[in-house]
Amino acid sequence: MLSREEYLAAWSTWHGGADPTTSRLVHGWLSGVYALARRFAGLPPVAVTVAGLLVAVAAVVPAAAGGPWLVLAGVLVGCSALLDGLDGALAIATGRASRRGFVLDSAVDRLSEGGFAAALWVAGAPGWLAAGFGALCWLPDYLRARAGQAGVTETGELSVWERPTRVVMTGFTLGGAGVVAGLGWAEAVVTCGTAVGCLLGVVGVAQLGTALRRALAD
């Protein structure tokens, strides 16, 4: 099994040369899932990927129930993200990473984020705001994919709107809404959390767009 430093270097290679040390959140997240992968090295990465998607979709059910159930929705979002990070860590750290698995994992990530947006919507966020949240989750990776087709091999520094941030915003928004549901503030918390997520998404897309613009100009 790769050491932590070797794993981070391999992760960077699979993600267009992005340096995980430029973001404390991303670096901490990757270090955490690597430590978890060491304990579950025998698990098949594809099975973990599928489990992560199922858990993300399942979060919509307690989100729709509202009230204290929103806490469970937030926990499920966190669990889905943990499984998503674990599958990549297992694949890379144990030498089982492949292009097919990389594409599958990326597709599942986008589907999971669609589930996050749906959970925010049924929990009380306005439809247009939840749709904007979902679109901003998808847009960075779409831009990276299109830039890659145009010959860009490096994506530059990580933005403030990488997947760990999206997960944290969704999970804490739903969980926090569940905590204050008894006070009648759940819908307001969900709306505010979704709006903040959209704001971070706009900033992150702007950061990424600037980096890609320079790369495409070169």
Side-chain angles (χ1 to χ4, degrees), residues 176-205:
V179 171
V180 301
L183 301 175
W185 297 347
E187 187 171 325
V189 169
V190 172
T191 300
C192 289
T194 307
V196 172
C198 287
L199 178 60
L200 289 174
V202 170
V203 173
V205 169

Short mmCIF file of all heavy atoms in Angstrom, two decimals, residues 176-205:
data_model
loop_
_atom_site.label_atom_id
_atom_site.label_comp_id
_atom_site.label_asym_id
_atom_site.label_seq_id
_atom_site.Cartn_x
_atom_site.Cartn_y
_atom_site.Cartn_z
N GLY A 176 -28.01 21.30 10.76
CA GLY A 176 -28.31 22.48 11.57
C GLY A 176 -29.79 22.82 11.56
O GLY A 176 -30.36 23.22 12.59
N ALA A 177 -30.42 22.64 10.38
CA ALA A 177 -31.86 22.90 10.29
C ALA A 177 -32.63 21.94 11.19
O ALA A 177 -33.64 22.32 11.81
CB ALA A 177 -32.32 22.75 8.84
N GLY A 178 -32.17 20.70 11.26
CA GLY A 178 -32.84 19.73 12.12
C GLY A 178 -32.72 20.08 13.59
O GLY A 178 -33.65 19.89 14.38
N VAL A 179 -31.57 20.64 13.98
CA VAL A 179 -31.34 21.01 15.38
C VAL A 179 -32.30 22.11 15.82
O VAL A 179 -32.80 22.11 16.95
CB VAL A 179 -29.87 21.44 15.58
CG1 VAL A 179 -29.67 22.05 16.96
CG2 VAL A 179 -28.94 20.25 15.39
N VAL A 180 -32.55 23.09 14.91
CA VAL A 180 -33.40 24.23 15.28
C VAL A 180 -34.83 24.07 14.78
O VAL A 180 -35.62 25.01 14.83
CB VAL A 180 -32.81 25.55 14.75
CG1 VAL A 180 -31.42 25.78 15.31
CG2 VAL A 180 -32.77 25.55 13.22
N ALA A 181 -35.17 22.86 14.32
CA ALA A 181 -36.51 22.65 13.75
C ALA A 181 -37.61 22.94 14.77
O ALA A 181 -38.68 23.46 14.41
CB ALA A 181 -36.64 21.21 13.24
N GLY A 182 -37.36 22.64 16.03
CA GLY A 182 -38.36 22.87 17.06
C GLY A 182 -38.68 24.33 17.27
O GLY A 182 -39.75 24.67 17.80
N LEU A 183 -37.79 25.20 16.83
CA LEU A 183 -38.01 26.65 16.97
C LEU A 183 -38.69 27.25 15.75
O LEU A 183 -38.95 28.45 15.70
CB LEU A 183 -36.66 27.35 17.20
CG LEU A 183 -35.87 26.92 18.44
CD1 LEU A 183 -34.51 27.62 18.48
CD2 LEU A 183 -36.66 27.22 19.71
N GLY A 184 -38.91 26.41 14.74
CA GLY A 184 -39.54 26.89 13.52
C GLY A 184 -38.59 27.58 12.56
O GLY A 184 -39.03 28.31 11.66
N TRP A 185 -37.29 27.35 12.73
CA TRP A 185 -36.29 28.03 11.90
C TRP A 185 -35.70 27.14 10.82
O TRP A 185 -34.79 27.56 10.09
CB TRP A 185 -35.14 28.53 12.77
CG TRP A 185 -35.54 29.56 13.78
CD1 TRP A 185 -36.72 30.24 13.85
CD2 TRP A 185 -34.75 30.01 14.88
NE1 TRP A 185 -36.73 31.09 14.92
CE2 TRP A 185 -35.53 30.98 15.58
CE3 TRP A 185 -33.48 29.71 15.36
CZ2 TRP A 185 -35.06 31.63 16.72
CZ3 TRP A 185 -33.01 30.37 16.48
CH2 TRP A 185 -33.79 31.31 17.16
N ALA A 186 -36.19 25.93 10.70
CA ALA A 186 -35.57 24.97 9.79
C ALA A 186 -35.51 25.48 8.36
O ALA A 186 -34.46 25.43 7.69
CB ALA A 186 -36.31 23.64 9.84
N GLU A 187 -36.63 25.97 7.85
CA GLU A 187 -36.66 26.42 6.46
C GLU A 187 -35.73 27.59 6.22
O GLU A 187 -35.05 27.66 5.19
CB GLU A 187 -38.09 26.80 6.06
CG GLU A 187 -38.24 27.11 4.58
CD GLU A 187 -39.69 27.28 4.18
OE1 GLU A 187 -40.56 26.57 4.75
OE2 GLU A 187 -39.97 28.11 3.29
N ALA A 188 -35.66 28.50 7.17
CA ALA A 188 -34.77 29.66 7.04
C ALA A 188 -33.31 29.22 7.02
O ALA A 188 -32.50 29.74 6.24
CB ALA A 188 -35.01 30.64 8.18
N VAL A 189 -32.96 28.26 7.88
CA VAL A 189 -31.57 27.76 7.92
C VAL A 189 -31.22 27.08 6.61
O VAL A 189 -30.12 27.29 6.06
CB VAL A 189 -31.38 26.80 9.11
CG1 VAL A 189 -30.04 26.09 9.01
CG2 VAL A 189 -31.48 27.55 10.42
N VAL A 190 -32.13 26.26 6.09
CA VAL A 190 -31.87 25.58 4.82
C VAL A 190 -31.69 26.58 3.69
O VAL A 190 -30.77 26.46 2.86
CB VAL A 190 -33.02 24.61 4.49
CG1 VAL A 190 -32.86 24.04 3.08
CG2 VAL A 190 -33.06 23.46 5.49
N THR A 191 -32.55 27.59 3.65
CA THR A 191 -32.45 28.60 2.60
C THR A 191 -31.14 29.38 2.69
O THR A 191 -30.45 29.58 1.69
CB THR A 191 -33.64 29.58 2.68
OG1 THR A 191 -34.86 28.84 2.50
CG2 THR A 191 -33.54 30.64 1.60
N CYS A 192 -30.79 29.80 3.91
CA CYS A 192 -29.54 30.55 4.10
C CYS A 192 -28.32 29.70 3.77
O CYS A 192 -27.39 30.16 3.11
CB CYS A 192 -29.45 31.06 5.54
SG CYS A 192 -30.59 32.38 5.93
N GLY A 193 -28.32 28.44 4.22
CA GLY A 193 -27.19 27.56 3.94
C GLY A 193 -27.03 27.31 2.45
O GLY A 193 -25.91 27.29 1.93
N THR A 194 -28.14 27.12 1.75
CA THR A 194 -28.09 26.91 0.31
C THR A 194 -27.58 28.16 -0.40
O THR A 194 -26.79 28.08 -1.36
CB THR A 194 -29.49 26.54 -0.23
OG1 THR A 194 -30.00 25.43 0.51
CG2 THR A 194 -29.42 26.16 -1.71
N ALA A 195 -28.01 29.33 0.07
CA ALA A 195 -27.56 30.60 -0.53
C ALA A 195 -26.06 30.80 -0.34
O ALA A 195 -25.35 31.22 -1.26
CB ALA A 195 -28.34 31.76 0.07
N VAL A 196 -25.57 30.50 0.86
CA VAL A 196 -24.13 30.62 1.12
C VAL A 196 -23.36 29.65 0.23
O VAL A 196 -22.29 29.99 -0.31
CB VAL A 196 -23.82 30.35 2.61
CG1 VAL A 196 -22.32 30.28 2.84
CG2 VAL A 196 -24.43 31.45 3.48
N GLY A 197 -23.90 28.45 0.07
CA GLY A 197 -23.26 27.48 -0.82
C GLY A 197 -23.18 28.01 -2.25
O GLY A 197 -22.15 27.87 -2.92
N CYS A 198 -24.25 28.63 -2.71
CA CYS A 198 -24.25 29.21 -4.06
C CYS A 198 -23.21 30.32 -4.18
O CYS A 198 -22.52 30.42 -5.21
CB CYS A 198 -25.63 29.74 -4.40
SG CYS A 198 -26.87 28.47 -4.75
N LEU A 199 -23.09 31.13 -3.14
CA LEU A 199 -22.10 32.20 -3.15
C LEU A 199 -20.68 31.63 -3.25
O LEU A 199 -19.85 32.10 -4.05
CB LEU A 199 -22.24 33.06 -1.90
CG LEU A 199 -21.24 34.21 -1.75
CD1 LEU A 199 -21.35 35.18 -2.93
CD2 LEU A 199 -21.45 34.94 -0.43
N LEU A 200 -20.41 30.62 -2.44
CA LEU A 200 -19.10 29.97 -2.51
C LEU A 200 -18.88 29.34 -3.88
O LEU A 200 -17.76 29.34 -4.42
CB LEU A 200 -18.99 28.90 -1.42
CG LEU A 200 -18.87 29.39 0.02
CD1 LEU A 200 -18.93 28.21 0.99
CD2 LEU A 200 -17.57 30.17 0.22
N GLY A 201 -19.95 28.80 -4.46
CA GLY A 201 -19.86 28.20 -5.78
C GLY A 201 -19.47 29.22 -6.84
O GLY A 201 -18.64 28.95 -7.71
N VAL A 202 -20.07 30.39 -6.77
CA VAL A 202 -19.74 31.45 -7.72
C VAL A 202 -18.28 31.86 -7.58
O VAL A 202 -17.55 32.02 -8.57
CB VAL A 202 -20.67 32.66 -7.52
CG1 VAL A 202 -20.18 33.86 -8.33
CG2 VAL A 202 -22.09 32.31 -7.92
N VAL A 203 -17.82 32.02 -6.33
CA VAL A 203 -16.43 32.39 -6.09
C VAL A 203 -15.49 31.30 -6.60
O VAL A 203 -14.48 31.57 -7.26
CB VAL A 203 -16.18 32.64 -4.59
CG1 VAL A 203 -14.69 32.86 -4.32
CG2 VAL A 203 -16.97 33.85 -4.13
N GLY A 204 -15.83 30.04 -6.32
CA GLY A 204 -14.98 28.93 -6.75
C GLY A 204 -14.91 28.82 -8.26
O GLY A 204 -13.83 28.57 -8.82
N VAL A 205 -16.04 29.00 -8.94
CA VAL A 205 -16.05 28.94 -10.40
C VAL A 205 -15.21 30.08 -10.98
O VAL A 205 -14.50 29.90 -11.97
CB VAL A 205 -17.49 28.97 -10.94
CG1 VAL A 205 -17.50 29.19 -12.45
CG2 VAL A 205 -18.21 27.67 -10.59
#
